Amino acid sequence: MRLGMLTACLPGWDLERIAAWAAGAGYEALEVAVWPATGGRDFEASHLPVADFGPEEAERTRELLDRHGLRVSALAYYENNLHPDLTRREEIRTHLRHAVDAAQALGVPYVGTFIGRDWTKPVAENLAEAERILPELVAYAGERGVKLIVENCVMEGWHPDGYPGNLAYSPELWEWMFSLGFYLNWDPSHLTWIGIDPVETIAPYADRIVHAQAKDVELDARARQRYGFFGKTAKNGDPWDMGWWRYRVPGLGQVDWARVVDRLYEHGFTGTLSVEHEDPVWGGDAARVTQGLRIAHRTLRPLMVG
């Protein structure tokens, strides 16, 4: 098992600066964010130009990683593959294919994405639509030696009423998406706040957990008494504010990382545990973000063999 980090938390840094910092901080792998450079949401980082990724760019990237003793565990493009706007949906599909092509060029085994959801339609219609359109993307990746991995994030902020915006949040839905050929980028933080013990999900799905994200979550039971499980109704312009929980870096929330890492080892996980930093306490500027990444490293590194 290797300890890595998702580069999306440092959107203002280029890949060279991130690689130098990560290697110096003791990280072994990078899950590289590859959103288009469009100036969109602040977590949409663009650390590789996958839409225009030729042999020279691939060679420069390999040289950079070799220089710092790092590997790329996955490319990360987490977008809504069931977007209700068909023009936007096709843009997402096209960029996902570019990410797969870049992964093939670099010898990276995984590209991360979401199933997503058309929030204007019921879940049953979304599942049927996914079965119709998503196997082509899985096949495109497979033909290039790449697996598509899906993070089990609820993406409640994508839905106008705060309901799940990514239909991959529960083991029931994992089994459905596995039937389409997807693999899992397993993240315990999302499972924790929706009431699922993350440790208990490792053994049954170990053969499909090929990459894992390390993100913690802090629950506020008193606030939940006011808002209920579904969270705030009045979000004051922030669709992600649920009111009774927030993401933290590993070690500052409720996830039992000793049990998580031990259970991953027990069931043969040999991939990358990649820190996904979305902690509002250790966010806001690069100095605080990098301190959060150091806290995560201090939490996780002692639990890992080697």
Side-chain angles (χ1 to χ4, degrees):
M1 196 187 311
R2 292 174 296 278
L3 184 57
M5 55 167 280
L6 174 59
T7 66
C9 59
L10 292 165
W13 287 16
D14 62 23
L15 188 60
E16 177 141 11
R17 187 176 182 185
I18 291 172
W21 183 89
Y27 283 96
E28 302 163 283
L30 299 177
E31 183 183 0
V32 179
V34 297
W35 275 266
T38 58
R41 298 189 302 261
D42 59 1
F43 58 82
E44 289 182 345
S46 181
H47 290 136
L48 279 180
V50 297
D52 185 24
F53 198 77
E56 291 183 3
E57 186 66 39
E59 182 57 32
R60 282 195 297 270
T61 304
R62 283 191 290 267
E63 189 277 330
L64 168 65
L65 296 165
D66 289 345
R67 183 163 17 107
H68 293 290
L70 296 169
R71 67 177 70 193
V72 176
S73 64
L75 300 186
Y77 178 54
Y78 290 94
E79 270 294 355
N80 186 353
N81 285 290
L82 296 175
H83 200 288
D85 182 328
L86 296 186
T87 299
R88 177 65 184 135
R89 183 189 293 183
E90 188 54 39
E91 291 172 351
I92 292 167
R93 288 167 64 84
T94 298
H95 194 75
L96 184 60
R97 292 188 193 99
H98 291 323
V100 168
D101 293 341
Q104 179 188 27
L106 291 171
V108 174
Y110 310 120
V111 171
T113 190
F114 289 136
I115 298 294
R117 177 180 183 173
D118 178 347
W119 56 82
T120 70
K121 296 179 179 178
V123 170
E125 291 184 24
N126 272 268
L127 300 183
E129 179 72 352
E131 290 166 9
R132 185 181 71 84
I133 68 170
L134 296 187
E136 181 272 332
L137 290 173
V138 173
Y140 184 91
E143 290 163 1
R144 289 154 181 80
V146 175
K147 291 183 172 68
L148 293 182
I149 58 174
V150 174
E151 183 190 348
N152 55 284
C153 184
V154 181
M155 294 306 288
E156 65 287 344
W158 275 353
H159 192 287
D161 293 317
Y163 302 140
N166 173 40
L167 297 178
Y169 57 86
S170 67
E172 176 191 20
L173 288 163
W174 300 350
E175 293 167 5
W176 164 78
M177 75 179 189
F178 296 157
S179 73
L180 303 183
F182 291 97
Y183 288 77
L184 186 61
N185 191 7
W186 181 86
D187 185 326
S189 64
H190 311 297
L191 294 164
T192 300
W193 79 259
I194 65 173
I196 296 173
D197 181 350
V199 175
E200 294 302 313
T201 70
I202 295 172
Y205 304 105
D207 62 329
R208 287 279 168 163
I209 300 173
V210 295
H211 196 273
Q213 287 186 330
K215 185 162 76 262
D216 217 326
V217 64
E218 181 181 9
L219 310 181
D220 183 341
R222 177 174 291 180
R224 187 170 56 198
Q225 291 296 320
R226 172 173 173 77
Y227 299 119
F229 173 83
F230 297 104
K232 283 184 175 181
T233 301
K235 299 191 180 214
N236 299 317
D238 181 0
W240 305 99
D241 182 7
M242 298 292 280
W244 65 272
W245 59 266
R246 60 182 180 173
Y247 294 127
R248 303 304 308 272
V249 294
L252 301 181
Q254 265 73 46
V255 175
D256 186 337
W257 291 101
R259 288 181 67 225
V260 164
V261 173
D262 181 63
R263 194 63 56 88
L264 287 170
Y265 273 123
E266 179 183 357
H267 293 282
F269 181 76
T270 58
T272 297
L273 183 59
S274 178
V275 174
E276 183 183 18
H277 184 341
E278 294 181 345
D279 187 327
V281 177
W282 293 104
D285 58 54
R288 293 186 69 80
V289 168
T290 51
Q291 183 57 45
L293 290 168
R294 291 188 184 97
I295 294 169
H297 187 277
R298 287 201 298 267
T299 299
L300 297 172
R301 182 68 259 179
L303 303 176
M304 301 174 75
V305 175

